[in-house]
Amino acid sequence: VFFLFTTLLFMTYPMDAAPQSHDATDVERQVFDYMGFGDATVLRLWPEGSDRNKSSNGQAESGKLTDKLRITNTEKPALLVYPPPAGVAKLDAAVIHCPGGGYRYMAMANPKQFIEWMHELGVTVAVLKYHTPRSKDDQKSLVPLADAQRALRVLRSHAKDIGLSPDKIGIAGASAGGHLAFNACLNHESPVYEAIDKIDELSCRPAFGMLFYPAYLAKGKDAIVGHPGLEWDRLEAGQTPPIYMTINSDDRSFVSGNLGAMAVLGRKDVPAELHVWTKGGHGGCFDKYPLAEFARPASRFLVRHEILPEKLLTVSDGWLDPVVQKLRKSPNRQVAKQPDPPMDLGEETLSEIDRA
């Protein structure tokens, strides 16, 4: 297994180090240009010299831009931190966003749209650049999970510098990124890598999880029973963070798994909600109707769990209204279904083009 069980030397990574962006890689600068929010602050996850800064397949990190940007062969995993723009009242809350891409690449369209909404509310978004593609030996996706656990700790270590409350850092994700975010919610008390410095003394429990059409929660498109690659027995009332999920009813590969996950969360008394929309297939964010309506219940979820002040519900709805009106007038608002994504995380022949 690629560096999964590598013994890491103890390296210092000062918790009070100032966030940096001058050492961004060429691919990260490609992300900055695509996002259109200016340069992000780059927070490296792993100390210099760590094997975890290498790509999982030995290939150089790359980005491919057509109408959307996808990056893969991850080197130097990082958080790309986007604070709200000037003129917006900044809150002390943040969300780490895990892009989708079937664990083959990271698709940047969903986080770009997600940032626009969060910035309207004054919330900082940190896009997680985690290891893709997934190693064929990493059937439980523990290498990306290690990146997610470390990311939560690294952002907490910089919370004071960035003006955040350590207790208001959540995690979100789309498709495979939703699977990764859910995995982080399940395993916050079970680290999947050896501690290397003082940052690892911090908690990796997200304050909440927001999952957009999360993939691989069940094995098979008609399965309700949870995927055996997830640690379902770690769900615990009072310990597992509150979870918000949203999906389209015709996302035929993953809707059953989402329904099954919601049933398990309910049985375990974990605060959770699932919102299912009528049509739209897999993928999307604020570019699909009625999926874009997810923001209304999602903002109320964040208010209930004391991440957002209630007064921002009007702001969120006001920002969303013209977005929805434009989508409803579009003759192409309903998107054709895509080929089924792979059902098994171990399946190496991948047919899906993940547009998360």
Side-chain angles (χ1 to χ4, degrees):
V1 180
F2 165 71
F3 66 60
L4 200 54
F5 301 107
T6 300
T7 301
L8 297 174
L9 296 176
F10 182 87
M11 303 176 186
T12 59
Y13 190 83
M15 294 177 63
D16 58 351
Q20 300 293 319
S21 59
H22 63 265
D23 65 339
T25 66
D26 290 343
V27 170
E28 288 164 357
R29 295 204 173 277
Q30 193 175 5
V31 173
F32 300 165
D33 291 342
Y34 173 77
M35 292 292 195
F37 304 113
D39 287 3
T41 296
V42 179
L43 299 180
R44 295 283 167 225
L45 301 188
W46 305 103
E48 186 176 354
S50 168
D51 282 348
R52 292 184 182 271
N53 285 318
K54 299 177 181 178
S55 67
S56 58
N57 57 9
Q59 297 183 27
E61 185 174 78
S62 62
K64 182 178 180 181
L65 176 62
T66 52
D67 59 328
K68 300 177 181 179
L69 177 65
R70 299 170 180 170
I71 65 175
T72 191
N73 305 327
T74 309
E75 298 174 304
K76 297 183 177 180
L79 287 169
L80 310 182
V81 183
Y82 289 95
V88 176
K90 183 177 179 293
L91 300 181
D92 60 350
V95 186
I96 293 174
H97 189 293
C98 309
Y103 284 116
R104 290 178 293 154
Y105 53 79
M106 285 162 285
M108 292 294 149
N110 184 284
K112 179 179 180 179
Q113 296 175 45
F114 182 79
I115 290 171
E116 291 175 359
W117 174 49
M118 286 286 98
H119 276 182
E120 191 72 15
L121 304 178
V123 176
T124 297
V125 179
V127 178
L128 176 59
K129 190 184 82 166
Y130 59 92
H131 274 100
T132 59
R134 178 183 58 84
S135 168
K136 66 178 65 176
D137 296 323
D138 185 16
Q139 296 300 306
K140 292 188 176 182
S141 300
L142 298 184
V143 172
L145 178 56
D147 290 338
Q149 290 183 337
R150 178 73 175 180
L152 284 154
R153 289 170 169 146
V154 167
L155 192 55
R156 282 202 167 99
S157 74
H158 287 288
K160 184 177 180 180
D161 303 326
I162 303 174
L164 301 176
S165 167
D167 297 327
K168 291 186 178 181
I169 296 174
I171 194 165
S175 193
H179 174 273
L180 178 56
F182 187 61
N183 224 356
C185 291
L186 284 177
N187 290 282
H188 61 88
E189 291 187 342
S190 302
V192 295
Y193 66 93
E194 294 183 13
I196 55 175
D197 54 27
K198 288 186 176 182
I199 289 177
D200 290 323
E201 296 175 5
L202 301 175
S203 171
C204 63
R205 180 186 184 273
F208 58 89
M210 295 185 70
L211 316 180
F212 302 94
Y213 38 88
Y216 318 127
L217 301 188
K219 191 170 184 178
K221 66 180 182 180
D222 298 320
I224 296 292
V225 178
H227 198 290
L230 291 166
E231 305 292 344
W232 296 93
D233 60 338
R234 292 177 181 165
L235 286 172
E236 184 179 350
Q239 296 298 321
T240 303
I243 292 175
Y244 174 95
M245 296 188 292
T246 191
I247 194 168
N248 290 315
S249 61
D250 63 346
D251 189 346
R252 60 188 183 275
S253 296
F254 300 128
V255 69
S256 293
N258 280 237
L259 293 170
M262 184 65 211
V264 176
L265 289 163
R267 287 199 300 270
K268 295 285 189 176
D269 291 325
V270 174
E273 50 192 85
L274 169 63
H275 296 265
V276 182
W277 309 98
T278 54
K279 191 175 182 181
H282 189 66
C285 190
F286 292 111
D287 54 352
K288 284 187 181 181
Y289 179 82
L291 177 66
E293 293 279 8
F294 81 83
R296 298 191 203 279
S299 59
R300 285 150 179 81
F301 166 86
L302 293 173
V303 168
R304 279 193 296 277
H305 295 289
E306 301 181 342
I307 304 300
L308 295 181
E310 188 171 2
K311 65 182 180 180
L312 287 180
L313 292 179
T314 303
V315 175
S316 181
D317 289 348
W319 177 86
L320 182 63
D321 286 343
V323 173
V324 168
Q325 289 171 10
K326 182 178 179 180
L327 289 172
R328 293 184 69 177
K329 292 178 181 178
S330 171
N332 300 315
R333 68 177 185 269
Q334 302 297 356
V335 182
K337 295 178 181 178
Q338 299 175 166
D340 283 349
M343 291 298 99
D344 187 347
L345 279 174
E347 189 175 320
E348 292 304 311
T349 304
L350 305 178
S351 62
E352 175 236 6
I353 302 299
D354 187 343
R355 295 178 185 172

